[in-house]
Amino acid sequence: MRVAVVGGHGQIARLLHPLLVAAGHQPVALVRREEQRPALEAVGAEVRLLDIEDDDVAAFAAAFRDCDAVVFSAGGGPDGNAARKRTVDLEGSLKSAAAASVAGISRFVQVSAIDVDRPVAAGAGEVWAAYVAAKRDADAALRASGLDWTVVRPGRLTDEPATGLVSLGVDVPRGDVTRGDVAAVLAAVLDRPETVHHQWNLVGGDVPVDAAVARASV
Ligand SMILES: NC(=O)c1ccc[n+]([C@@H]2O[C@H](COP(=O)([O-])OP(=O)(O)OC[C@H]3O[C@@H](n4cnc5c(N)ncnc54)[C@H](OP(=O)(O)O)[C@@H]3O)[C@@H](O)[C@H]2O)c1
């Protein structure tokens, strides 16, 4: 498979690319700056330029050319800018899903966040509320898109080494998870068609990634 990764220079994405290569796939990293190219090519990704906020659906579809699946792993980041939750986390996902359809790609895996369907706690800040709303609405739109979607909703991300052990499921409670383990789950999901039309929470746990994905898909 050629796998287009939106947010291809993100921290999870950069851990995903080598896993895809090891599984015999070709990652296609979509990034917004030319200087991001060398590090990504060094781990086996093909690099294409795409600005999630500035580019339109036609440009997304062009960036997805010849690909068989899309992974949306972009985010506005911790810059405290509520507007970018909408323009990146929500509208970036909406444009990616629309462009996948235009490009004839049915498979779409989205990195979301845990508990975004729950009401935001009273007193939560504007940026957090915007983030939760963006992830919630992006997931709802993807589920209604007609694409072959899978939604992975990690808990708080850490940069500890991957453990290979996770807890994955619809009702898994909040917890931490390493970015490496999220990448491993994304790679496993892409290799398993039975994960289509599933949405799971993901935190660190005690079940090996492949077994967790297989178990959750039943
Ligand atoms: N932090 C947490 O605890 C947590 C928990 C659950 C879920 N998540 C979600 O998990 C996802 C991935 O996490 P991560 O740590 O891999 O995120 P990350 O490192 O912040 O990666 C996000 C990527 O999106 C890219 N991006 C942002 N705006 C863009 C634009 N206009 N055009 C092109 N690319 C753009 C960034 O590009 P640049 O590299 O150029 O900046 C960055 O590479 C995010 O959606 C995040 O919200 C996070």
Side-chain angles (χ1 to χ4, degrees), residues 84-122:
R84 295 192 70 237
K85 307 306 179 192
R86 180 175 54 77
T87 57
V88 180
D89 297 72
L90 175 56
E91 293 173 2
S93 173
L94 298 178
K95 285 191 276 187
S96 296
S101 296
V102 170
I105 302 167
S106 57
R107 190 71 171 108
F108 196 110
V109 178
Q110 179 141 287
V111 181
S112 178
I114 202 164
D115 285 348
V116 294
D117 291 330
R118 295 192 176 176
V120 172

Side-chain angles (χ1 to χ4, degrees), residues 6-14 30-33 36 50-55 60 72-78 84-85 87-89 111-114 128 131 135 152-159 174-177 179 182 202:
V6 183
H9 188 255
Q11 297 166 89
I12 290 174
R14 278 178 275 151
L30 306 178
V31 303
R32 56 178 161 174
R33 286 194 287 266
Q36 294 166 332
L50 180 77
D51 191 301
I52 293 168
E53 291 157 284
D54 291 348
D55 287 335
F60 276 64
F72 184 84
S73 188
R84 295 192 70 237
K85 307 306 179 192
T87 57
V88 180
D89 297 72
V111 181
S112 178
I114 202 164
W128 180 251
Y131 174 71
K135 293 298 196 196
V152 176
R153 292 176 150 182
R156 190 179 75 92
L157 300 172
T158 76
D159 293 321
R174 295 186 82 85
D176 292 357
V177 60
R179 288 183 168 84
V182 178
L202 168 62

